[in-house]
Amino acid sequence: MRRKEDFHSTPTQDFLAFLQEETHQEPKPLSRAPVQGWIQIAFWGLRIYIVVMLVMVGIGFARGIH
Amino acid sequence: MSAIPETSVTLTEADLLQHLPEDERQRIKDRWRIYQLRHHPSWWRRLLLFLSLIGPGILVMIADNDAGGVITYAQTGAMYGVGFFIPFLLLMIPVAYIVQEMTVRLGAVTHRGHAEMIWGRYGAFWGVFSLLDLTVANILTLVTEFIGIRVGMSIFSVPPIISVPVAWIFVAAIMIFLHYSTWERLALWIAAGNIIFVPLAIAAHPHWSQVVVAVGNWHIPAGVALGAFTYVILANLGTTISPWMLFFEQSSVVDKGLNVHDIPSSQADTAIGSVSMGIIAIAIVILTGTLVYGHADAADFDIQAIMHTLRQSSLGHVGTALFALGLVEAGLIAAITITASTSWAVGEALKLPRSLNLKPQRALPFYLSGILSAGMAAMVVLIPHVPLGFLNLTVQVIASIFMPAAMLFLLMLLNDREIMGSYVNRPWQNWSAYAIVGFLILANGLYGYTVAFPSS
């Protein structure tokens, strides 16, 4: 079913204000975050966590196979 | 978004949108309806506005009660009755809300998906890590959804060779042929089917006094094996917060075109979803805690054995058929949302055109990434004697490795004033999230230890 369009033949002030508002929703440019301080510590913690978990899972699977 | 062209008296409002890309044009049409409802308020229009804005939060939370979740809750009730896990699942309601609410703000403020934010802010290494981990976890989770659909439909004598491909085609078709808003409304109607577990729990005639007492005392049944009990706690936690949920809700907020003005409505949407999720999960535990708990060997029941016991109980054939339909619905709604989350994440990471408002010929890689991964999962389910236990373990392992990482990225982004401005986390939100991450790491560490050293 095709829905009735909500548009007027001549742009209303409301519609122009809406379009203006929506055009300001464009995402801002994204730059790399500086990796320092607590973020650097968190990343190292994450790397260690992933390695430890992978090792434990590897041991688990190896034991499961044998 | 492109700039607005110079207006002239010959242009209509519809003409003004013609220069916009196809996906933005569709989104602007949806947003224009919301704008009109917001700026010309009446009680009726406020209600319509709220109904227009809800969607991502309820969808993600109901989809979280997926086939694997329904099976986990049913087994929990069968193993431990209505004791410990009712207050535990009540606690999971604010946990799910706190985690998912952050994705709402992140999406509404940045207008970017989760994968795009990780890739753009923390570089390709963590971007690739997150994308690969999410994609693999999603495929494996989809296997469990199609298993739920297969098991549920088998009650109606529908063979897997029919039920599984039809479900996959349905998921693919609505994604390809429907615009975001229609896709979301249809998914919400399917999600409403999850409520079936509530009347079923009531029909089981539980001892409500026991249920009320259970809320207050966190009773652990005597003589439970600690290892198995810890595993069930982890399984329940794992079904409450999952990596795909973060990616799904944020991308959904972005594709819907929500902005900072919509944050309160989206928070309410997420809160309603969290409470619904908790109530339905508790209903399943009450159902099997009343009708299955206490049977000989109930602790070892799989979902088929649970449904067999339900059929022999006061619930009967009709009630069990409704339970099976609920299982199918749970698998279907999760398949719909997880497939979309894969497509959005791949599209965001690889900077592809990505929107459910796009025609398939304009965004083929976006659609194919999700649909083909769902197709792979569907094919795995059709393989005879597939090692489902191994697959289930692998899903949990990957999710357990990824979830603390996903939470860490979420927390870093939500505390990044450069991108969030005044919408950064407040202290109580940070402390709550730190507590959740800490518990996740501790629980996953314990689980990893028991996997590696089962005899300890």
Side-chain angles (χ1 to χ4, degrees), chain B residues 317-354:
Chain B
H317 286 271
V318 175
T320 309
L322 289 174
F323 183 91
L325 270 183
L327 185 60
V328 172
E329 178 277 334
L332 190 61
I333 190 63
I336 290 169
T337 49
I338 293 171
T339 303
S341 88
T342 305
S343 279
W344 274 321
V346 170
E348 288 159 11
L350 305 183
K351 295 187 170 40
L352 303 169
R354 52 187 180 279

Side-chain angles (χ1 to χ4, degrees), chain B residues 13 168 176 178 244 253 273 292 305 314 367 437:
Chain B
E13 287 181 351
W168 174 66
I176 290 174
L178 299 183
W244 72 264
V253 162
V292 184
S314 59
Y367 285 109
V437 173

Side-chain angles (χ1 to χ4, degrees), chain A residues 6 8-9 14 28 31 33, chain B residues 12-13 33 40 111-112 121:
Chain A
D6 306 315
H8 297 94
S9 53
D14 235 12
K28 291 177 187 155
S31 58
Chain B
T12 67
E13 287 181 351
R33 288 187 196 99
H40 304 281
H111 309 290
R112 294 180 191 275
R121 208 69 182 129

Side-chain angles (χ1 to χ4, degrees), chain B residues 11 40 59 63 141 153 204 280 371 443:
Chain B
L11 285 178
H40 304 281
L59 268 185
T141 310
M153 291 308 287
I280 292 163
I371 289 168

Side-chain angles (χ1 to χ4, degrees), chain B residues 237-363:
Chain B
L237 183 65
T239 60
T240 307
I241 45 175
S242 309
W244 72 264
M245 294 171 69
L246 310 181
F247 288 79
F248 173 83
E249 188 163 6
Q250 190 172 333
S251 301
S252 189
V253 162
V254 173
D255 211 359
K256 195 177 168 85
L258 301 183
N259 59 40
V260 291
H261 303 300
D262 306 313
I263 288 177
S265 297
S266 297
Q267 286 170 329
D269 174 35
T270 306
I272 293 169
S274 308
V275 172
S276 308
M277 177 199 72
I279 289 172
I280 292 163
I282 288 170
I284 300 168
V285 172
I286 290 175
L287 173 64
T288 56
T290 305
L291 298 178
V292 184
Y293 176 63
H295 279 69
D297 301 326
D300 299 322
F301 278 4
D302 60 10
I303 191 65
Q304 279 102 340
I306 287 172
M307 287 205 287
H308 178 74
T309 311
L310 288 177
R311 197 182 297 120
Q312 309 298 321
S313 72
S314 59
L315 209 60
H317 286 271
V318 175
T320 309
L322 289 174
F323 183 91
L325 270 183
L327 185 60
V328 172
E329 178 277 334
L332 190 61
I333 190 63
I336 290 169
T337 49
I338 293 171
T339 303
S341 88
T342 305
S343 279
W344 274 321
V346 170
E348 288 159 11
L350 305 183
K351 295 187 170 40
L352 303 169
R354 52 187 180 279
S355 170
L356 295 184
N357 289 323
L358 285 169
K359 289 195 171 75
Q361 58 268 33
R362 285 234 26 242

